[in-house]
Amino acid sequence: MIPESTAAAASRSSEQTKKSHDEANSSGAVNHSEDESGNENQQKNVRRRKRAHKGSENVKRKSARAGCSSVGRARGRRGKRRHVENVTLFEVITMGRSAMRAVIDDWIKAYVTDRDSSLLDLISFFIQCCGCKGVVTAEMCQSREDSDVMSKMVEELDEVASLQYKKFLAFPWILTVTWPMDTDSVEYPLTQSGPYGRWFHSEFCDFVSVLVAQCQHSVIFDSYLMNTLISLLTELSNSYIRAFRHTCTLAAVKLLSALVGVALSLSVGIENSQKLYKVPKTKTTRQKLTPQLERIQKKIAELQGKRVEIESMMDIVFKGVFLKRYRDVLPEIRSICVEELGLWMKLYSSEFLNDTYLKYMGWMMYDKTPDVRLKCVLGLQGLFGDPLLLPKLDLFTSRFKERMISMTLDKDNEVSVQTMKLLLLISRTCDDVLSPDDYKQLLQFVYSSQRPLAAAAGELLYLRLLSSGAHTSDSQDEINEEEAHKLQTSARLKSLLQFHQESELHKHVVYLVDSLWDCGGALLKDWAALTSILLQEPSSHGPGLTLAEQALLVEILVASVRQASEGPALAGRSGAKKALNAREKKIQIDDCTKLTEHLLTVLPKLLNKFSSSSDVVASLLRIPQFFIPECPEAENTQAVSSLMAELGAVLDFHSGPVVVEAAARTYLSLCGEETSCGSVARDARDSLVQTWVDKLTVLLEDSLQGDCFSADEEKTGDILSTLRKLRAFHNCHDLSRWSLFQLLSPLLSAGGAPPEVLLEVLQCLCFFMIWSLNVSSGTLTSREKAVAQRLQLRLFCERSHRCLSHSDHSVRHQAFLGVCDVLVAHSYQTHVWDPTSFGPLLHTPSPKLQRALSTFVCMHVFVGPDCDSQSRVSEGSEVERLEDLHRRRNLLAAFCKLIVHGVLEMSTAAEVFMYYTKYYNDFGDIIKETMYRARQTDKIESSRTLVLCLQQLFVRLKKEQESGGRAQAGVQTFTSIKELARRFALTFGDPVKFRECVVMMHRTGIEFVFQEFNQTPETPTPPLLSYLTILSEFSSKLLKPDKKTVFMYLQKHTAELFINLRDECWQPLVYYRASLLTAAEGEDAVSYVSSDRKPCPPNRSPFSKQKLEGSKSPCLFSPVDSKVSKGHRSKFSPSHQEKTTDVDLFSLPLEPAARGLNPEGFVLSSSNEAEDDTVEIEL
């Protein structure tokens, strides 16, 4: 029940209605949405042009008082008789479904007694659910076709009373909803965020469903309740007010869904009655129809009549609400309509599942909102999932098949995934719908970057593979079950291999395996079948696999092992589940145990069979990296020894980098302390390394004669292959006890060594030094060992320094990277060392090496597009260009690490920072991160580095301009330098945090321009004066008191100079002063006069518009007036301002100017400083 003040409004006089309007002024209003604001405002503007209402529309209802008074009296009598809680229907939805049923039953009883008043309760409920807290009034209507009545159906705004009216016909009443306008609020219950909005949506829908369910056996067929309710919802769903339209559209479609449930129950009743009617008719024909048959026949007719009436109601709601709202401007309304339409077609297919209704579903698949398209696809999934409904979907499928296939490319990931699942349903239920070309297009999604979409496409692919390989072994009766399973698995794998080879879309099998893992995990985890197929020889049962298919099957085997061990996390593919639950973790452990037990014994056989193929062997060598450490099978010494023997044989046969690096990583995983086979693996590894070291020692003794390397091609190849193996293993294992530094370091100083040998030697020595620095905490037990380590470090740096000038660019790059990595490792060692124990001796790189490293970066990283250096490649090849960029980025990152870790002075970074804007696309992220890390280390020093960078660039530019020669590679224009300064200024985020840094930059810049400058007639201006224009880019980062301080510091350096600010030569000073003064007043700095552009004439100067007409001084600025803040200028009289304006600090010495000025005019005076909350920084 609604409150008495609202329900009784239908029987009150016009004076009482007027009071209700006054009460409504203080209540809330129906909220407007931002989506409809444009439409609503347009209609409001049209209405405002009309004449405003002279009074409330309820004043005109005197004629309806008599007709409505009986309603109030009946409600009053009912209120005296009933003793229940005084709750409104709107409050019922907060009480749960059980309380909802009880209150609705009470409402039905009240409706039977007094239907008019109860209907007003229900009407007020829907109005309140729309978010409207106004008043509902009603007047009787005698005819629907009355033209006078229809002309009153308006939705108006009363500007005089500030009220909104919604007047509509809900026969036999004319209802008026009145509420105050509140355009600031945009929310109503359905749109509220958080749990409340979702809860209200659910409870509101339940209320409509329970209302129809409780009324279906009583008052629903009285031709009064449903007519009024449908009229109410239809009218409100057509309102231009979003709250009415959204809420009542939801109520209307849920009402139709509830009516569908009633129609279904009636159909079941008709069907049961017809069965009862047929039972007596099957008896002997001599018996006549009994009264029981007549009752059954009458009941059937009654149920059929009720069903027709219900279907008529559904048709009215569909035509009155759905057909007008399924194209609504609000996406939520369109989504509601489409979602319920799919439910109607699935539940009541006899009425709704035809092409008349299916066309709306097809049209809405083109909607611009993803949620609407998603609701269409989900609704179609329910239809195609029922085999009984498929015959009615033939025309729809043929008409909209192309659209469904194209929606797999939808920009919304969820829509594309659900569309793929829909096509999977169609493929399962309808064999002839999708053509081979359609399958070819859809199956390529197994390589999608979105894992849910790839998994859905993988399920479709697996379905196709199952159908192709299901009948392979049916004709072979003599083959046992195991052989049949093996042949069936072989047929499926062949189909999978053929698909991957024909697709030619992706080279990595791991993505294909990941897509098939959820649906075809049993096939991919059948490692026994996979290995048996790989090990089998061609026989009479089949020709076997080709070499290419065997290599591809090995990749599938390795990918399945990786997937079982690590999970679906793949680089470049998103949407995978990040965390595993307990069940998934148990499955993962069981799979790892099974693969370890099986492959530990089978892998030696596979390595033996494919030992001649380096690519296949490299793939097979990755398998032991996924073995579980605590495996009972790993304690089998014979199996482990067999595997170690095959690994040694592979390394004796192959020396390629791919195989050797894979073997090194495999030994690393097998030699762990926690593994069961660790001792056997470590012994095998040590034996291999000792063999290589002995072999290399003999080769180098024959090849190194004094300081010259001389070896024939065969010996050089043996040395190179042995060095590659040692380098790969030294990258993963600590080989310090073999003393490779003493063995290999002479090669760096020997002449005639091939670049390939030097490259491997540099990498080996780099790994040796890094391992030595990393594990020295347990090995440095005396000062002698620490001195020996520092000598090795210094010797390595010296030898690598010589290699920086080698003729081969790969040797130069490796020497640079090796020195940087070793110095960074040494810096880290000194930082993490325990001071209580014996520590390493500090090594500082020589100044010559530091300059060489800085020069190397400038020459090999920051190279122009027209440079003919060896590091540059032809621009015709995009792949080579990207590889070259990757190498240069590595070089720059290695150099920046030296700065960040404090190996090099921070001022060295100036050579890198100056290229920040010029090479921003290639190296901007690295340089910016270096700035950030350097600023974390020392804010002041990093700011000095930025200043040094700008000063160096400016000095180079001045030298070039003075020399008049051709432009050099490292010289930038004035505009680019100023842009670089602007970008530097943007890195200072919080002015308070970097206050001292910015002030220091201004102080240093002023000293850079004016220090050691003596003014003469030949040199009236400082030669570096234009630098002030660059420095002004940092003025916006100064706090207000700091701007005043910097300005005084500038005055101090310019006080003894004779300056005429109207001269063009002093324009940089003008601009810099303006950046300090106008910025302090909150004004924008004016445009500058660039020295590399044509200067503007004096009359076009941005400062020529200052109010200086009364000034006789040649100076364009008044020092006093410019320093007076806005808060203090009102204290001066006009005469005082004119007097102080004539003073020019720049044309007079400092002391007389200071004596001639009024101290009160300075903002830097003590009285004004007291008013500032900030603290001034001393310069």
Side-chain angles (χ1 to χ4, degrees):
M1 295 177 293
I2 63 174
E4 187 273 335
S5 59
T6 304
S11 61
R12 292 185 180 181
S13 63
S14 59
E15 291 81 2
Q16 291 172 323
T17 306
K18 204 167 187 178
K19 294 180 181 179
S20 300
H21 286 187
D22 296 336
E23 294 173 0
N25 283 330
S26 60
S27 61
V30 173
N31 306 309
H32 297 264
S33 72
E34 60 280 356
D35 297 327
E36 293 295 312
S37 60
N39 187 19
E40 294 170 12
N41 292 334
Q42 184 178 1
Q43 297 189 24
K44 290 175 186 175
N45 293 333
V46 174
R47 292 195 302 270
R48 285 167 184 170
R49 298 192 193 105
K50 301 178 182 180
R51 187 175 180 181
H53 289 258
K54 294 183 179 180
S56 174
E57 290 189 9
N58 290 333
V59 180
K60 305 176 183 178
R61 295 180 186 159
K62 295 180 180 180
S63 60
R65 179 170 47 181
C68 296
S69 59
S70 59
V71 177
R73 289 192 298 270
R75 179 176 175 84
R77 291 191 300 269
R78 179 168 56 90
K80 294 177 181 179
R81 288 194 305 266
R82 299 182 61 190
H83 300 282
V84 295
E85 291 186 11
N86 188 18
V87 296
T88 64
L89 291 178
F90 182 74
E91 295 171 348
V92 169
I93 61 176
T94 65
M95 300 180 181
R97 198 177 184 91
S98 58
M100 193 182 298
R101 291 180 182 275
V103 174
I104 289 178
D105 288 339
D106 293 341
W107 180 87
I108 293 174
K109 295 177 183 178
Y111 175 82
V112 174
T113 305
D114 187 358
R115 64 182 186 181
D116 292 337
S117 181
S118 298
L119 267 179
L120 279 179
D121 289 348
L122 186 61
I123 292 169
S124 297
F125 163 76
F126 285 106
I127 298 299
Q128 285 179 304
C129 288
C130 295
C132 177
K133 300 177 183 177
V135 178
V136 182
T137 56
E139 56 181 300
M140 300 301 295
C141 175
Q142 302 299 329
S143 175
R144 289 175 179 266
E145 288 76 17
D146 190 355
S147 58
D148 295 337
V149 171
M150 297 306 295
S151 63
K152 297 179 181 179
M153 304 300 106
V154 292
E155 192 166 350
E156 285 290 347
L157 171 67
D158 189 349
E159 294 181 348
V160 177
S162 297
L163 296 176
Q164 182 82 13
Y165 297 96
K166 172 66 178 176
K167 190 173 185 180
F168 56 92
L169 177 66
F171 192 81
W173 292 334
I174 299 176
L175 298 176
T176 302
V177 184
T178 310
W179 71 97
M181 287 300 299
D182 183 11
T183 56
D184 295 335
S185 179
V186 294
E187 282 193 353
Y188 48 95
L190 280 182
T191 60
Q192 289 188 9
S193 59
Y196 176 77
R198 296 189 295 271
W199 167 83
F200 180 83
H201 182 279
S202 175
E203 295 296 327
F204 180 68
C205 296
D206 288 344
F207 180 87
V208 178
S209 301
V210 172
L211 176 65
V212 176
Q214 298 299 100
C215 296
Q216 63 177 331
H217 301 296
S218 55
V219 297
I220 196 174
F221 300 104
D222 65 348
S223 301
Y224 189 80
L225 170 63
M226 294 307 297
N227 290 348
T228 305
L229 186 57
I230 292 174
S231 299
L232 170 73
L233 297 179
T234 303
E235 289 294 334
L236 290 180
S237 64
N238 291 332
S239 172
Y240 76 90
I241 304 252
R242 174 181 174 178
F244 283 151
R245 197 171 68 255
H246 187 187
T247 307
C248 293
T249 300
L250 176 62
V253 295
K254 289 298 180 181
L255 176 65
L256 201 156
S257 300
L259 292 177
V260 166
V262 175
L264 289 175
S265 63
L266 291 174
S267 299
V268 172
I270 292 173
E271 184 178 356
N272 294 335
S273 300
Q274 287 176 346
K275 290 179 180 179
L276 291 175
Y277 183 77
K278 291 178 181 179
V279 171
K281 293 186 69 175
T282 57
K283 296 182 180 180
T284 58
T285 56
R286 291 174 295 177
Q287 296 179 354
K288 295 183 179 180
L289 292 176
T290 60
Q292 181 181 2
L293 288 177
E294 293 179 356
R295 287 195 300 271
I296 294 175
Q297 203 170 21
K298 184 178 180 182
K299 182 179 180 181
I300 291 174
E302 180 183 356
L303 293 176
Q304 288 176 344
K306 289 184 177 180
R307 186 173 66 178
V308 170
E309 187 174 352
I310 291 295
E311 291 177 352
S312 175
M313 296 177 189
M314 292 190 296
D315 186 64
I316 293 173
V317 174
F318 184 85
K319 292 179 179 178
V321 178
F322 181 87
L323 290 184
K324 296 179 181 179
R325 299 274 68 82
Y326 83 98
R327 293 180 298 177
D328 194 275
V329 34
L330 193 65
E332 289 83 352
I333 295 179
R334 301 199 302 270
S335 179
I336 289 171
C337 294
V338 172
E339 183 180 12
E340 294 301 317
L341 177 61
L343 182 64
W344 303 335
M345 289 189 291
K346 182 179 180 181
L347 295 179
Y348 204 45
S349 58
S350 60
E351 178 69 21
F352 288 99
L353 190 57
N354 53 58
D355 299 329
T356 304
Y357 296 94
L358 280 170
K359 65 182 180 182
Y360 300 112
M361 191 72 74
W363 291 344
M364 297 310 291
M365 285 195 296
Y366 293 89
D367 195 272
K368 63 181 180 179
T369 304
D371 186 64
V372 179
R373 300 194 299 271
L374 180 62
K375 291 297 190 297
C376 289
V377 174
L378 293 177
L380 291 175
Q381 286 181 6
L383 300 179
F384 281 97
D386 191 351
L388 300 177
L389 305 180
L390 295 178
K392 297 183 179 182
L393 297 171
D394 293 339
L395 182 60
F396 173 84
T397 306
S398 61
R399 169 65 179 82
F400 293 101
K401 183 187 74 172
E402 296 299 329
R403 174 56 185 164
M404 287 188 286
I405 293 176
S406 66
M407 286 177 68
T408 55
L409 296 170
D410 198 280
K411 63 181 181 180
D412 186 80
N413 296 330
E414 185 64 22
V415 174
S416 59
V417 171
Q418 296 301 329
T419 304
M420 184 62 71
K421 293 182 179 180
L422 172 62
L423 293 171
L424 178 62
L425 279 175
I426 295 175
S427 176
R428 283 176 175 171
T429 55
C430 309
D431 296 334
D432 55 345
V433 172
L434 299 176
S435 63
D437 293 337
D438 297 334
Y439 280 112
K440 185 178 180 180
Q441 178 181 351
L442 293 175
L443 295 180
Q444 299 299 323
F445 284 97
V446 294
Y447 302 108
S448 172
S449 60
Q450 297 294 326
R451 192 181 187 278
L453 179 60
E459 191 174 355
L460 180 61
L461 174 61
Y462 189 72
L463 178 65
R464 298 284 292 175
L465 293 177
L466 279 176
S467 61
S468 62
H471 308 288
T472 304
S473 59
D474 293 345
S475 60
Q476 304 291 338
D477 298 335
E478 68 278 2
I479 301 178
N480 57 20
E481 183 179 353
E482 183 178 354
E483 287 293 329
H485 173 71
K486 184 177 178 180
L487 289 177
Q488 188 179 21
T489 303
S490 178
R492 295 176 181 174
L493 290 174
K494 283 185 177 181
S495 301
L496 183 61
L497 296 175
Q498 183 181 2
F499 166 76
H500 183 70
Q501 289 175 340
E502 291 178 354
S503 63
E504 297 180 356
L505 186 65
H506 211 287
K507 297 180 181 180
H508 300 289
V509 184
V510 64
Y511 293 96
L512 177 61
V513 171
D514 182 47
S515 302
L516 292 170
W517 192 255
D518 295 340
C519 57
L523 173 65
L524 297 173
K525 288 191 289 188
D526 192 357
W527 295 295
L530 290 174
T531 53
S532 63
I533 293 173
L534 287 171
L535 291 173
Q536 74 178 2
E537 299 295 335
S539 61
S540 58
H541 297 300
L545 300 176
T546 63
L547 294 178
E549 290 175 343
Q550 288 177 349
L552 190 57
L553 188 57
V554 168
E555 292 186 24
I556 292 177
L557 173 64
V558 176
S560 65
V561 170
R562 188 216 67 85
Q563 190 85 8
S565 177
E566 297 182 351
L570 287 176
R573 175 167 282 185
S574 59
K577 192 175 181 180
K578 297 182 179 180
L580 301 179
N581 53 34
R583 177 177 173 273
E584 291 171 341
K585 289 181 180 179
K586 184 178 182 302
I587 293 175
Q588 187 179 27
I589 294 174
D590 294 342
D591 291 340
C592 290
T593 304
K594 292 178 183 179
L595 69 89
T596 303
E597 292 176 352
H598 175 73
L599 292 175
L600 185 61
T601 58
V602 178
L603 185 58
K605 302 177 183 178
L606 293 174
L607 290 173
N608 187 17
K609 180 179 180 179
F610 299 102
S611 59
S612 59
S613 177
S614 59
D615 294 336
V616 176
V617 168
S619 299
L620 290 174
L621 288 177
R622 294 177 54 201
I623 293 178
Q625 301 174 20
F626 305 106
F627 285 172
I628 189 170
E630 301 84 5
C631 181
E633 188 66 25
E635 298 178 358
N636 187 356
T637 310
Q638 183 179 359
V640 176
S641 300
S642 176
L643 178 60
M644 294 298 106
E646 289 297 331
L647 288 176
V650 166
L651 290 173
D652 291 340
F653 188 78
H654 295 279
S655 60
V658 179
V659 176
V660 175
E661 289 175 4
R665 294 182 181 275
T666 298
Y667 272 103
L668 178 64
S669 61
L670 295 177
C671 294
E673 297 292 340
E674 69 279 359
T675 57
S676 304
C677 58
S679 59
V680 179
R682 286 191 292 271
D683 293 340
R685 179 202 62 188
D686 295 345
S687 177
L688 280 174
V689 174
Q690 186 63 48
T691 303
W692 296 335
V693 171
D694 295 340
K695 181 180 178 180
L696 184 61
T697 303
V698 174
L699 290 173
L700 291 181
E701 288 177 355
D702 298 338
S703 302
L704 281 177
Q705 298 177 0
D707 292 338
C708 182
F709 179 86
S710 60
D712 56 8
E713 186 176 353
E714 183 179 357
K715 284 187 178 180
T716 303
D718 293 341
I719 293 174
L720 189 59
S721 62
T722 308
L723 283 174
R724 284 174 180 168
K725 296 174 185 178
L726 288 173
R727 184 258 306 164
F729 272 72
H730 213 340
N731 187 19
C732 304
H733 306 267
D734 182 17
L735 307 182
S736 301
R737 55 179 171 154
W738 280 277
S739 302
L740 293 178
F741 189 87
Q742 290 78 6
L743 179 64
L744 300 178
S745 57
L747 285 172
L748 295 180
S749 58
E756 296 82 4
V757 175
L758 290 178
L759 186 64
E760 298 296 335
V761 170
L762 285 170
Q763 291 181 348
C764 282
L765 293 181
C766 176
F767 295 148
F768 176 85
M769 293 304 307
I770 291 176
W771 275 108
S772 175
L773 295 172
N774 185 41
V775 301
S776 58
S777 57
T779 57
L780 291 183
T781 56
S782 63
R783 179 176 178 83
E784 289 74 14
K785 292 184 178 181
V787 171
Q789 185 186 85
R790 188 175 66 171
L791 290 176
Q792 289 179 348
L793 179 60
R794 185 168 60 185
L795 182 61
F796 174 78
C797 293
E798 292 176 356
R799 300 285 172 84
S800 300
H801 186 191
R802 295 195 191 102
C803 294
L804 288 177
S805 58
H806 197 273
S807 58
D808 188 79
H809 72 279
S810 60
V811 176
R812 296 197 301 266
H813 289 181
Q814 181 56 44
F816 179 83
L817 292 175
V819 169
C820 292
D821 292 342
V822 169
L823 290 177
V824 169
H826 175 64
S827 174
Y828 178 76
Q829 180 197 31
T830 57
H831 283 86
V832 301
W833 196 266
D834 187 5
T836 59
S837 61
F838 190 84
L841 298 178
L842 182 63
H843 170 73
T844 303
S846 62
K848 187 176 180 181
L849 178 60
Q850 295 186 26
R851 290 193 299 269
L853 294 175
S854 179
T855 306
F856 185 89
V857 169
C858 296
M859 293 181 60
H860 294 81
V861 176
F862 302 108
V863 289
D866 55 345
C867 183
D868 297 330
S869 172
Q870 291 183 1
S871 62
R872 298 296 295 172
V873 296
S874 61
E875 297 183 358
S877 175
E878 182 69 16
V879 177
E880 293 181 359
R881 187 190 69 83
L882 293 177
E883 290 178 354
D884 176 70
L885 177 61
H886 180 66
R887 285 192 296 267
R888 292 193 291 151
R889 286 176 60 87
N890 285 339
L891 295 175
L892 179 61
F895 182 77
C896 291
K897 288 179 184 177
L898 298 177
I899 300 171
V900 170
H901 290 276
V903 178
L904 301 180
E905 294 292 336
M906 196 173 294
S907 59
T908 314
E911 294 291 336
V912 175
F913 293 165
M914 64 177 57
Y915 297 103
Y916 180 55
T917 56
K918 188 176 182 180
Y919 292 91
Y920 184 79
N921 293 333
D922 294 339
F923 313 112
D925 55 339
I926 300 176
I927 300 176
K928 190 174 182 179
E929 183 67 18
T930 306
M931 291 183 189
Y932 174 73
R933 298 291 183 89
R935 192 166 292 165
Q936 283 185 325
T937 305
D938 191 342
K939 294 189 296 184
I940 300 297
E941 190 62 29
S942 64
S943 302
R944 285 198 180 97
T945 305
L946 298 182
V947 173
L948 178 62
C949 170
L950 296 174
Q951 291 177 357
Q952 288 179 354
L953 287 175
F954 184 75
V955 169
R956 292 179 187 178
L957 177 62
K958 294 297 291 184
K959 289 182 178 179
E960 181 193 359
Q961 292 176 347
E962 292 173 358
S963 63
R966 60 186 300 271
Q968 301 178 4
V971 177
Q972 301 184 25
T973 62
F974 187 87
T975 306
S976 61
I977 300 174
K978 191 171 186 298
E979 174 64 18
L980 179 62
R982 187 186 70 84
R983 300 290 287 272
F984 284 166
L986 292 176
T987 60
F988 294 95
D990 187 5
V992 178
K993 182 179 179 181
F994 301 102
R995 182 181 183 183
E996 296 180 0
C997 302
V998 179
V999 172
M1000 182 274 302
M1001 297 178 73
H1002 281 273
R1003 184 192 63 186
T1004 307
I1006 294 173
E1007 294 173 354
F1008 174 70
V1009 173
F1010 293 102
Q1011 202 169 23
E1012 299 180 359
F1013 170 69
N1014 295 322
Q1015 190 176 30
T1016 62
E1018 292 78 14
T1019 58
T1021 60
L1024 304 178
L1025 186 64
S1026 299
Y1027 181 77
L1028 294 178
T1029 305
I1030 299 173
L1031 187 60
S1032 62
E1033 293 294 335
F1034 298 94
S1035 299
S1036 60
K1037 298 299 179 180
L1038 285 170
L1039 296 178
K1040 187 175 180 180
D1042 297 339
K1043 291 173 184 176
K1044 304 170 186 176
T1045 306
V1046 171
F1047 182 80
M1048 290 300 298
Y1049 194 73
L1050 177 65
Q1051 296 284 72
K1052 177 182 177 181
H1053 282 78
T1054 59
E1056 298 180 357
L1057 302 179
F1058 181 80
I1059 301 173
N1060 187 354
L1061 295 183
R1062 293 186 178 181
D1063 292 343
E1064 293 183 9
C1065 58
W1066 290 103
Q1067 288 304 310
L1069 178 60
V1070 172
Y1071 180 78
Y1072 182 57
R1073 293 185 63 205
S1075 68
L1076 295 175
L1077 298 177
T1078 58
E1081 297 175 358
E1083 302 174 1
D1084 294 333
V1086 292
S1087 59
Y1088 69 96
V1089 181
S1090 177
S1091 63
D1092 62 345
R1093 298 181 180 178
K1094 184 177 180 180
C1096 299
N1099 56 356
R1100 297 294 301 275
S1101 173
F1103 309 102
S1104 61
K1105 295 183 180 180
Q1106 299 283 344
K1107 296 182 179 181
L1108 301 172
E1109 290 81 358
S1111 175
K1112 298 180 181 180
S1113 171
C1115 178
L1116 293 179
F1117 280 93
S1118 170
V1120 177
D1121 190 44
S1122 61
K1123 289 184 289 183
V1124 176
S1125 63
K1126 293 181 179 179
H1128 296 84
R1129 288 190 180 184
S1130 59
K1131 300 179 182 179
F1132 294 99
S1133 63
S1135 60
H1136 179 75
Q1137 291 183 6
E1138 292 177 3
K1139 186 180 300 183
T1140 56
T1141 305
D1142 292 337
V1143 181
D1144 186 6
L1145 280 180
F1146 287 100
S1147 59
L1148 297 173
L1150 178 63
E1151 296 179 0
R1155 287 195 300 267
L1157 290 175
N1158 189 344
E1160 297 178 358
F1162 283 94
V1163 263
L1164 294 177
S1165 61
S1166 58
S1167 60
N1168 292 337
E1169 287 296 336
E1171 298 176 4
D1172 256 327
D1173 294 335
T1174 54
V1175 180
E1176 181 181 351
I1177 292 181
E1178 293 294 337
L1179 288 177

